[in-house]
Amino acid sequence: MTLRIDRADFSDPRLAAFLQAHLDELAPTAPPESRHALDLSGLRQPGVRLWVGEWGEGIAATGALAALGPGHEELKSMRTDPRRRGNGVGRLMLHHLLGDAVSRGVRQISLETGSTEFFAPARALYAGAGFVVCGPFGEYRDDPHSVYMTLTLPRRPSAPSLLAKRAPNPEGCGAHSRPS
């Protein structure tokens, strides 16, 4: 069986349940002001592209990209079904998201994730893909519950090299604001 990745169908009730499970799972990891996951309505906003990875009949993963500014997007709503974790599903979704960004000329992807042990596998996934730790970007501020990371993307798509380690971005995460 393989992972099939398509743009999200917001009318699919499984998607709403999967995203709510994501929010519920994150709730005990940080105080409300330090949780930055988007809910279903946030993922429907202009400038946000959400994908769903299906394995058989079930949703195995989600991932989104949200525009921050010209050529700079934020990775959002990365989640792998707990039953599929450790099987490469998250890596496949991340690879898909980075490939989409490169194909559209995006030059930089930044993200915010948690600083606790719960998020260690996510931080390892991102570091393995070449993301480096940086300071807050967009509307984020220093927060002990958050880790900020960024990746400079290649100009041309190259499937094997998209997730290869890259040199740190000397410009950091950037100071672009989120669109209003």
Side-chain angles (χ1 to χ4, degrees):
M1 203 172 293
T2 60
L3 186 70
R4 189 182 79 243
I5 301 174
D6 294 302
R7 290 293 294 274
D9 173 2
F10 287 100
S11 68
D12 184 344
R14 298 174 310 151
L15 178 60
F18 190 86
L19 293 170
Q20 187 58 53
H22 180 55
L23 297 174
D24 294 345
E25 189 174 32
L26 297 179
T29 67
E33 65 275 9
S34 295
R35 293 192 306 256
H36 306 287
L38 295 176
D39 62 11
L40 191 60
S41 65
L43 291 164
R44 288 182 178 202
Q45 296 303 308
V48 178
R49 300 165 62 87
L50 176 65
W51 285 267
V52 173
E54 292 192 50
W55 188 291
E57 297 299 315
I59 295 177
T62 56
L65 293 170
L68 289 172
H72 189 191
E73 294 188 353
E74 181 180 2
L75 184 68
K76 298 294 292 182
S77 299
M78 277 287 295
R79 179 176 193 253
T80 300
D81 182 310
R83 296 168 296 176
R84 299 281 183 219
R85 291 181 183 156
N87 293 316
V89 170
R91 186 172 176 81
L92 289 170
M93 178 60 76
L94 181 58
H95 184 87
H96 179 83
L97 294 169
L98 296 178
D100 174 74
V102 168
S103 74
R104 293 181 295 109
V106 175
R107 297 292 297 132
Q108 184 175 0
I109 301 289
S110 299
L111 64 90
E112 179 277 338
T113 192
S115 63
T116 64
E117 186 61 27
F118 176 83
F119 296 97
R123 292 190 307 269
L125 171 69
Y126 301 137
F131 283 84
V132 295
V133 174
C134 64
F137 59 92
E139 294 177 1
Y140 293 111
R141 300 292 169 251
D142 282 325
D143 183 335
H145 299 283
S146 293
V147 172
Y148 307 100
M149 302 177 85
T150 195
L151 172 69
T152 300
L153 295 172
R155 291 197 185 276
R156 297 190 201 300
S158 173
S161 68
L162 273 176
L163 295 179
K165 293 205 183 275
R166 303 199 189 303
N169 177 3
E171 298 172 23
C173 285
H176 300 291
S177 296
R178 290 186 179 152
S180 42

